């Protein structure tokens, strides 16, 4: 369940000493207050939905909603509203979401760079995860590297999903027979997605 709604938060209040209160006739007591409204998701402000506000006379305590303001008060209120910036924290949920998406993107990119580096410079002990058949996944382990080829032993077992495949990556699961793949072919298999992960300890 996602809990959301909207809230109003006070941003600032300023006195305008030039204004006269139409209700009590005192000059200098009108204060304008500006509020920001935002949508919260789980109480974290996420989307700003603009500003609102009112004026109040400090002598007679009369509150003027925008539609009740005379022209002078309205002008003063609108100027102040226009000059008031919505605080950044009213968007903090959106910022958090953007940062999380960015971190995932960077992490994916770094992992892909690592895998290309491993493919270009294979090392004994590298483990390649590949799709053996429809919804069956298995691993190959590098046992020897030559100038243009890589020698693997293959896993006798397959696993039904990508996640958790480490469970079959143990010595007793691997065959004794070596299997040779050219480096070029390996890159083709990686680019096609047959090989989908390369691990190095
Ligand atoms: Zn007043």
């Amino acid at each position: 369940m996602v809990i959301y709604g909207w809230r109003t938060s006070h941003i600032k209040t300023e006195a305008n000493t030039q204004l006269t209160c139409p209700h009590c006739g005192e000059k200098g007591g009108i204060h304008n207050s500006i509020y920001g409204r935002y949508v919260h998701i789980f109480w974290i402000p996420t989307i700003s939905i603009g500003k609102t506000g009112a004026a109040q006379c400090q002598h007679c305590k009369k509150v003027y909603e925008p539609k009740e303001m005379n022209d002078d008060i309205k002008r003063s209120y609108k100027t102040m509203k226009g000059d008031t910036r919505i605080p950044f924290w009213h968007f903090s949920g959106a910022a958090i979401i953007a940062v999380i998406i960015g971190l995932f993107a960077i992490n994916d990119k770094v992992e892909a760079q690592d895998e290309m580096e491993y493919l270009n410079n294979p090392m004994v002990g590298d483990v390649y995860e590949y799709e053996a058949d429809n919804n069956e996944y298995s691993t190959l382990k590098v046992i020897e590297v030559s100038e243009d080829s890589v020698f693997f032993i293959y896993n006798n077992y397959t696993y039904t999903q990508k996640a958790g495949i480490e469970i079959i990556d143990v010595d007793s699961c691997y065959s004794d027979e070596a299997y040779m793949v050219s480096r070029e072919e390996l890159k083709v298999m990686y680019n096609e997605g047959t090989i989908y992960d390369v691990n190095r300890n």
Side-chain angles (χ1 to χ4, degrees):
M1 185 176 66
V2 177
I3 297 170
Y4 65 96
W6 62 268
R7 286 183 164 187
T8 302
S9 161
H10 177 250
I11 302 175
K12 71 174 173 183
T13 295
E14 263 177 24
N16 185 323
T17 54
Q18 303 306 309
L19 294 172
T20 300
C21 174
H23 188 247
C24 69
E26 287 281 345
K27 190 180 175 188
I30 297 287
H31 287 195
N32 290 315
S33 292
I34 307 297
Y35 298 82
R37 301 211 295 176
Y38 57 81
V39 173
H40 73 81
I41 299 174
F42 291 112
W43 302 281
I44 300 169
T46 301
I47 303 161
S48 171
I49 47 176
K51 292 173 279 189
T52 182
Q56 186 181 22
C57 171
Q58 298 306 298
H59 294 289
C60 68
K61 304 299 178 192
K62 164 95 178 145
V63 173
Y64 297 93
E65 297 291 337
K67 61 181 182 294
E68 301 164 329
M69 293 171 182
N70 67 20
D71 289 348
D72 287 344
I73 298 176
K74 188 170 269 183
R75 197 177 307 115
S76 157
Y77 166 76
K78 283 197 164 171
T79 301
M80 182 179 155
K81 187 179 168 192
D83 291 345
T84 302
R85 296 181 63 171
I86 294 168
F88 180 69
W89 67 265
H90 286 199
F91 305 92
S92 46
I96 291 166
I97 291 165
V99 166
I100 290 170
I101 290 170
L103 288 177
F104 273 112
I106 289 168
N107 191 44
D108 280 354
K109 205 174 164 197
V110 167
E111 276 186 8
Q113 280 173 348
D114 283 351
E115 285 166 7
M116 277 316 289
E117 169 68 18
Y118 297 162
L119 279 171
N120 287 326
N121 302 288
M123 274 176 61
V124 171
D126 287 353
V127 173
Y128 288 58
E129 294 175 13
Y130 72 103
E131 185 166 7
D133 209 340
N134 270 350
N135 295 320
E136 283 189 36
Y137 305 94
S138 193
T139 61
L140 299 167
K141 185 182 273 187
V142 178
I143 53 161
E144 197 184 324
V145 177
S146 74
E147 201 173 319
D148 55 8
S149 298
V150 181
F151 296 81
F152 294 99
I153 45 175
Y154 61 85
N155 202 307
N156 288 319
Y157 296 85
T158 58
Y159 202 64
T160 51
Q161 56 187 40
K162 292 180 179 179
I165 198 168
E166 307 81 49
I167 204 166
I168 63 166
D169 179 26
V170 290
D171 288 345
S172 60
C173 292
Y174 285 94
S175 87
D176 297 329
E177 286 172 61
Y179 170 67
M180 186 193 82
V181 182
S182 74
R183 290 182 179 221
E184 286 312 309
E185 204 178 326
L186 268 187
K187 283 179 199 167
V188 171
M189 289 167 80
Y190 181 74
N191 289 329
E192 285 174 344
T194 307
I195 291 171
Y196 59 85
D197 200 5
V198 185
N199 301 313
R200 177 172 294 175
N201 291 322

